[in-house]
Amino acid sequence: MVTTSAVSWRSDREVDAAGAARLSGPSVASSRERALRQRSEGRVRIAASAFGGITRLTDLAEGGALRARLPRGGPGLEAVIVNTAGGVACGDAFSIEAKAGPGAHLTVATPAAEKVYRSDGPCADIQVRLLAEAGARLDWLPQETILFDRARLRRRYEIDLSGTASFLSFEALMLGRLAHGDAMGEGHLEDHWRVRRDGALVFADALRLAGPVGALLARPAVAGGNRALATLLYVAPDAESRLEEARAQLDSARSEAGASAWNGLLCVRLLAPDIETLRRDATSFLMAFRQAPLPRVWAT
């Protein structure tokens, strides 16, 4: 049985006529209050379970600027997370939760690159919680995130897996928009990952770039001038045994790439001068490694 609930609140970017009249009066809000009014919030929760070998949606909750769309067809259940705010701005707050029940196959994707715009102070916050139960398969495959100059983003991923579950994630970042001549000079980025398997921590990763991000990326020990980076993580009972397969598939990559395996997981890192190069290499790798097509939204 599918249960659908909605958390509704007035959009922070919408002001009714009465509110507009009040704003034009003598009691003009402070700069901080105006910033809070402009903040966008969004929440989405998805759960899927297997019934007779077929994965079906069992729970969906949406709120604020986030929506989930469920294209028909393909293996398992595919969920596409849509940000109706049109991007991420200063002070925005989003949370996403996805759960694959026993034996279910759930893929979560996004319809396009997510843009993080310039901030005049506060960081945008994105919280992601993913769960895969016994024998489940959960693929987290959003398209790349693009950070504009002076963007400020903080993300946290909490992943809890059964020892018999299979989890694949791919996260790509582009710092600046080189195709438009926009380099990211200043900004702030934090990415925190925690992956637990049967309750035990098996992967902890943190990336922090702050201040003169462009100058940091130019350093040979940091990125050597490259602006596109990605991490692929595969956690499954057969993860470590697929290390040589992964390395062989990376032989033809134009990006700088490497793979390692430990603690029942496989990690691939990619670094490229532009998102086109990285995306081409990642697409080729993912299709071969998954032995399945990518989510259809990747091709649109």
Side-chain angles (χ1 to χ4, degrees):
M1 178 177 179
V2 177
T3 60
T4 304
S5 60
V7 181
S8 62
W9 55 80
R10 183 179 164 191
S11 168
D12 293 312
R13 290 192 172 100
E14 294 176 358
V15 180
D16 59 18
R22 288 193 298 272
L23 289 175
S24 63
S27 58
V28 178
S30 67
S31 297
R32 180 176 179 276
E33 289 172 335
R34 286 197 298 271
L36 288 174
R37 258 199 314 275
Q38 294 169 355
R39 185 180 66 190
S40 180
E41 297 182 359
R43 304 172 186 173
V44 67
R45 184 180 71 245
I46 303 165
S49 297
F51 299 93
I54 299 174
T55 300
R56 301 187 186 280
L57 181 72
T58 51
D59 184 62
L60 173 62
E62 302 168 320
L66 292 186
R67 297 288 183 270
R69 296 294 177 260
L70 307 170
R72 295 180 181 273
L77 179 70
E78 187 176 305
V80 179
I81 306 297
V82 180
N83 178 6
T84 62
V88 179
C90 58
D92 287 357
F94 298 103
S95 67
I96 299 169
E97 181 176 329
K99 177 182 177 181
H105 179 188
L106 174 63
T107 299
V108 183
T110 58
E114 186 67 276
K115 298 178 178 65
V116 184
Y117 298 107
R118 175 174 178 162
S119 170
D120 57 6
C123 279
D125 279 288
I126 299 177
Q127 305 283 333
V128 178
R129 179 164 175 74
L130 306 172
L131 303 95
E133 298 185 337
R137 176 175 171 180
L138 177 58
D139 291 350
W140 172 258
L141 299 173
Q143 298 191 59
E144 65 269 12
T145 300
I146 302 173
L147 274 69
F148 285 52
D149 186 35
R150 299 185 181 275
R152 298 178 62 82
L153 175 65
R154 182 168 49 229
R155 300 191 298 189
R156 176 170 287 277
Y157 300 83
E158 296 284 346
I159 297 102
D160 286 281
L161 310 170
S162 162
T164 58
S166 172
F167 172 71
L168 176 70
S169 70
F170 177 76
E171 278 282 4
L173 282 163
M174 181 65 205
L175 305 179
R177 298 187 307 162
L178 299 186
H180 296 266
D182 300 330
M184 186 178 182
E186 300 279 335
H188 185 96
L189 169 66
E190 292 182 39
D191 257 348
H192 300 273
W193 285 76
R194 296 293 183 270
V195 181
R196 296 174 181 83
R197 197 174 180 202
D198 283 339
L201 184 67
V202 296
F203 183 76
D205 192 54
L207 169 67
R208 184 177 186 272
L209 295 171
V213 173
L216 288 171
L217 295 174
R219 296 180 182 178
V222 179
N226 291 295
R227 296 296 183 113
L229 56 149
T231 297
L232 179 144
L233 190 64
Y234 179 59
V235 187
D238 65 343
E240 292 188 64
S241 67
R242 298 187 67 182
L243 177 59
E244 294 309 316
E245 172 194 344
R247 287 176 172 171
Q249 290 169 1
L250 293 170
D251 282 344
S252 59
R254 296 183 184 179
S255 307
E256 294 185 39
S260 54
W262 72 101
N263 276 357
L265 62 90
L266 171 70
C267 183
V268 176
R269 308 277 194 181
L270 296 149
L271 189 63
D274 54 71
I275 195 62
E276 290 77 15
T277 300
L278 188 145
R279 187 182 177 95
R280 181 169 54 248
D281 290 336
T283 298
S284 175
F285 180 89
L286 284 166
M287 290 180 66
F289 192 80
R290 296 177 75 230
Q291 299 178 350
L294 289 171
R296 284 169 290 172
V297 288
W298 275 58
T300 58

